[in-house]
């Protein structure tokens, strides 16, 4: 039985779904990822053969199978195989607790599960802190971990919202994702702009017009800052 077959058995036994956007780290053991890279490298070499590319003599195609396998497992889809980044929570429950809105801008690279083309964009994560806070860089680490999989942008915004909610305990939060899609720009309609926006709002971000406006205004300020205005 190959390593991937063995892992699929474990996933089925544990009842864990293993779609392109799912994380399977909880059934992985030490050394599994390296074994999967070795297996995927051979499979990618097979794909090159089927595409009739002379990977034996073309110096630029030699080793491409292994490069692809490593790139998928360690970079583009790392969020499927690696456990959630640890995010130590700090108490925010004293008299001087922070009660305002916090908005973090996180740059993301993802890929669409339909075409395996790059999705590149930015997530704006807004929360009204509950009784704990996580380090500012952790918002981005969690968002990137959600993005490094095969996703749909609609799913991605939901995934980031759910994981940030889990890590912070916040009830009031919003996630706005703005991204361009390689599958729209590089093939099919070859559109010059594939900019797509998705918004997920929870709690006051959804129900309170003032909070929602503050979040959207903050996003505009962030965008102006990022573009150097
Ligand atoms: Zn696509």
């Amino acid at each position: 039985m190959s390593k991937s077959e063995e892992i699929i058995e474990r996933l089925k036994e544990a009842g864990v779904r293993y779609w392109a956007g799912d994380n399977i780290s909880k059934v992985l053991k030490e050394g599994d990822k390296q074994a999967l890279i070795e297996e995927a490298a051979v499979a990618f070499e097979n794909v090159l053969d089927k595409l009739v590319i002379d990977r034996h003599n073309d110096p630029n195609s030699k080793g491409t199978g292994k490069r692809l396998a490593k790139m998928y497992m360690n970079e583009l889809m790392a969020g499927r195989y690696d456990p959630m980044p640890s995010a130590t929570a700090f108490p925010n429950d004293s008299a001087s607790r922070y009660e305002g809105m916090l908005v973090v801008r996180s740059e993301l690279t993802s890929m669409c599960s339909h075409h395996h083309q790059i999705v590149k964009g930015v997530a704006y994560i807004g929360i009204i802190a509950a009784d704990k806070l996580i380090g500012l860089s952790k918002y981005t680490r969690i968002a990137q971990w959600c993005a490094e999989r095969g996703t749909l942008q609609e799913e991605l915004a939901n995934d980031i919202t759910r994981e940030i909610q889990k890590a912070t305990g916040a009830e009031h939060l919003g996630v706005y994702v703005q991204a361009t899609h390689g599958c729209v720009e590089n093939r099919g309609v070859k559109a010059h702009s594939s900019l797509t926006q998705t918004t997920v709002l929870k709690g006051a971000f959804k129900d309170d017009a003032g909070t929602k406006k503050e979040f959207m205004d903050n996003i505009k300020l962030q965008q102006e800052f990022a573009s150097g205005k």
Side-chain angles (χ1 to χ4, degrees):
M1 191 188 274
S2 68
K3 183 54 84 179
S4 50
E5 286 167 342
E6 184 193 319
I7 291 168
I8 288 170
E9 286 296 303
R10 279 185 231 156
L11 288 161
K12 284 181 175 164
E13 205 153 295
V16 177
R17 198 178 72 169
Y18 53 103
W19 294 6
D22 293 330
N23 181 280
I24 61 165
S25 63
K26 68 175 159 194
V27 307
L28 296 183
K29 296 174 185 165
E30 180 93 38
D32 279 352
K33 204 172 149 180
Q34 193 51 43
L36 285 175
I37 288 173
E38 300 301 329
E39 276 185 23
V42 174
F44 277 123
E45 284 170 358
N46 196 20
V47 171
L48 293 173
D49 293 342
K50 298 300 175 197
L51 293 172
V52 198
I53 293 170
D54 184 359
R55 63 183 171 87
H56 301 285
N57 293 302
D58 173 359
N60 298 310
S61 298
K62 256 184 206 171
T64 291
K66 183 76 178 270
R67 276 192 289 274
L68 285 172
K70 283 165 80 174
M71 180 179 72
Y72 268 82
M73 307 275 305
N74 294 334
E75 293 166 316
L76 296 179
M77 286 201 172
R80 299 191 71 238
Y81 309 98
D82 297 341
M84 182 175 177
S86 64
T88 310
F90 303 98
N92 182 45
D93 51 8
S94 67
S96 59
R97 66 194 297 264
Y98 180 70
E99 291 178 322
M101 184 183 293
L102 181 79
V103 179
V104 176
R105 178 182 193 274
S106 305
E107 294 189 3
L108 304 176
T109 303
S110 188
M111 62 150 59
C112 77
S113 35
H114 294 147
H115 302 91
H116 288 204
Q117 286 280 307
I118 294 297
V119 175
K120 213 162 176 45
V122 180
Y124 295 92
I125 302 163
I127 73 163
I128 293 172
D131 291 344
K132 54 185 182 177
L133 289 171
I134 57 172
L136 291 178
S137 66
K138 302 301 182 187
Y139 293 93
T140 298
R141 287 203 190 286
I142 292 170
Q144 285 173 343
W145 175 71
C146 292
E148 287 169 352
R149 307 173 191 192
T151 61
L152 298 185
Q153 192 175 322
E154 300 87 330
E155 271 174 15
L156 180 56
N158 277 331
D159 290 350
I160 294 172
T161 307
R162 188 187 60 243
E163 297 300 336
I164 295 290
Q165 203 158 18
K166 256 194 244 169
T168 61
E171 284 170 59
H172 309 291
L173 72 167
V175 172
Y176 171 80
V177 178
Q178 194 178 43
T180 55
H181 292 251
C183 67
V184 180
E185 296 188 355
N186 306 328
R187 51 165 296 286
V189 293
K190 295 203 167 111
H192 287 300
S193 174
S194 62
L195 189 67
T196 305
Q197 287 123 313
T198 42
T199 313
V200 177
L201 302 170
K202 301 280 182 195
F205 282 70
K206 185 173 155 203
D207 303 325
D208 178 63
T211 305
K212 186 174 175 180
K213 184 175 185 305
E214 187 183 341
F215 180 47
M216 293 303 168
D217 288 348
N218 270 305
I219 290 172
K220 262 181 234 150
L221 290 171
Q222 287 261 15
Q223 287 170 332
E224 283 171 17
F225 181 80
S227 66
K229 273 182 204 158

